[in-house]
Amino acid sequence: MQPIALPAGARDEFGETLQKKLVITQKIINYYNEQHYQPIATSLIEQSTVFAHTPTQKMLSVLGEEVALRADMTLPVARFVRAMKLKQPTISLYYLGDVFRPTEPLSGTYNQTTQMGIELIGVADCSAEIEAIERMIETARIAGVTKIEVELSDVRLLPALLQTWQVPQHLQADMMGAVYNKELTNFVALLDQTILDKSIKAAFRDLPLMFRQGDQILDTLPNAQPLRGVVQRLKEIKTTILADFPDITVTYDLAAKPEQTYYTGVMFKGYTADTAGYVFSGGRYDQLLSDYKNGADVKIMDRFFRHREVPDSENFSKPGF
């Protein structure tokens, strides 16, 4: 009998690699239980409308309804919270589960990945973002990671900057696309079409590449609303994180593309020295829930669980990838 192959992008997990992942996840689960977060597990299959603005893998149910495999954990959690009409003023949740998102053919990446994260619902001020980031730093340390760089950004920053510069409306969308897609040549050509002062054009010609920046980059931005409020919030978050974790590096990204369509404010990513790409990401959402107008989330990426040593355990070693 011919062996049956998995669908493209799917995967099995087995043996030592899976054991090591389970040890790490159990340590993390224990930590969030101790911090009095509530666990939540949502259905693997959702109505396709839950992911109306998110790429998904769709199918028909036995009743002929269009349904979708879970492509993100926050949206099903939001669906659950809306349906249950919970009465707490704030809700702190954690979850662990697989998600399925379409990827480019022949990209070498999986459609199926593990996502673990937290949701902080009902918190209006920046303490939600601070708690989300600091919980992820603690989570990383549980897994033996101490060298972490946190990169802060904000969905509102680039639109506010272009509005402050009074960039014509017909250029704003193209300039934002060039920044988000790191199209430096295209951005410079669009910038040259504006009537901005030469000093501004010279200072911001590399805007698509302005990531991993220090405090001085924020000080070069115009001191006008709404940009001033965005900058103040980013600085407050950085100051608090460094006060609590002085060994962490915190930088800014002026060109960050929103990871999720529902983010409305501060966004952040976490990097480690031994992993390609970011290992956690999150952001603020203030329009996702009707009863709870404010919230923030953060998700640990699947790559976090691989290439990872487990503290205080001699039973598992780094697998050979």
Side-chain angles (χ1 to χ4, degrees):
M1 181 178 177
Q2 290 289 333
I4 300 174
L6 281 172
R11 68 176 185 185
D12 296 317
E13 295 179 284
F14 170 75
E16 184 183 30
T17 301
L18 178 57
Q19 284 181 312
K20 190 161 80 87
K21 176 179 175 179
L22 292 174
V23 169
I24 294 174
T25 54
Q26 188 57 56
K27 285 176 178 284
I28 296 171
I29 288 170
N30 292 343
Y31 169 72
Y32 284 107
N33 286 336
E34 291 168 0
Q35 300 302 317
H36 304 293
Y37 278 65
Q38 298 179 69
I40 183 169
T42 61
S43 173
L44 191 61
I45 300 175
E46 294 277 355
Q47 297 285 351
S48 60
T49 52
V50 172
F51 302 108
H53 304 291
T54 303
T56 58
Q57 299 189 49
K58 298 177 182 178
M59 63 193 77
L60 292 179
S61 72
V62 293
L63 298 178
E65 304 169 299
E66 186 179 71
V67 296
L69 290 177
R70 185 174 59 202
D72 172 78
M73 297 296 283
T74 295
L75 294 171
V77 169
R79 184 263 308 153
F80 173 84
V81 172
R82 284 195 298 264
M84 295 300 292
K85 299 186 181 299
L86 302 176
K87 300 301 181 182
Q88 302 100 303
T90 62
I91 307 172
S92 300
L93 305 172
Y94 77 87
Y95 50 75
L96 169 68
D98 279 5
V99 296
F100 297 80
R101 302 195 73 167
T103 57
E104 291 295 326
L106 305 178
S107 66
T109 56
Y110 289 114
N111 296 330
Q112 177 186 352
T113 59
T114 300
Q115 205 174 81
M116 187 172 195
I118 61 175
E119 304 289 333
L120 300 163
I121 300 172
V123 183
D125 60 29
C126 65
S127 63
E129 292 96 313
I130 292 168
E131 179 172 350
I133 294 169
E134 294 195 346
R135 293 297 183 201
M136 285 300 105
I137 293 171
E138 293 286 8
T139 300
R141 289 183 169 179
I142 290 170
V145 181
T146 56
K147 293 184 178 180
I148 300 170
E149 177 179 333
V150 175
E151 193 172 62
L152 301 174
S153 56
D154 197 299
V155 173
R156 301 164 295 179
L157 194 150
L158 183 56
L161 179 61
L162 297 180
Q163 290 170 21
T164 303
W165 283 345
Q166 297 183 334
V167 172
Q169 196 70 36
H170 71 278
L171 287 179
Q172 288 189 24
D174 290 341
M175 292 180 76
M176 289 175 62
V179 171
Y180 290 153
N181 296 316
K182 305 295 184 281
E183 298 171 352
L184 183 59
T185 302
N186 187 23
F187 175 76
V188 171
L190 292 166
L191 187 65
D192 287 340
Q193 294 181 40
T194 69
I195 57 172
L196 288 169
D197 187 84
K198 290 183 178 179
S199 62
I200 295 178
K201 290 182 178 180
F204 289 93
R205 290 182 84 79
D206 293 333
L207 183 57
L209 305 180
M210 286 185 175
F211 49 87
R212 302 189 71 179
Q213 299 289 312
D215 290 332
Q216 67 277 6
I217 195 65
L218 295 187
D219 295 335
T220 66
L221 297 174
N223 185 25
Q225 292 289 18
L227 203 53
R228 185 189 305 124
V230 172
V231 169
Q232 289 174 343
R233 191 159 184 144
L234 290 173
K235 287 184 174 181
E236 181 180 351
I237 292 171
K238 177 177 179 177
T239 299
T240 305
I241 292 171
L242 290 179
D244 295 336
F245 296 91
D247 56 332
I248 297 300
T249 300
V250 181
T251 61
Y252 302 107
D253 184 354
L254 301 192
K257 183 177 182 178
E259 287 290 312
Q260 306 292 345
T261 57
Y262 47 77
Y263 286 158
T264 58
V266 173
M267 304 179 293
F268 45 86
K269 292 180 180 178
Y271 298 85
T272 67
D274 66 342
T275 306
Y278 56 89
V279 295
F280 65 81
S281 72
R284 168 163 288 277
Y285 50 81
D286 288 339
Q287 299 169 8
L288 191 58
L289 297 165
S290 55
D291 296 327
Y292 295 88
K293 295 186 182 302
N294 311 108
D297 73 350
V298 60
K299 300 175 177 65
I300 305 171
M301 299 297 105
D302 185 73
R303 61 180 73 93
F304 177 84
F305 299 107
R306 290 175 277 157
H307 302 274
R308 189 68 60 221
E309 298 285 2
V310 181
D312 305 319
S313 174
E314 297 180 358
N315 297 323
F316 306 104
S317 59
K318 191 175 293 186
F321 281 86

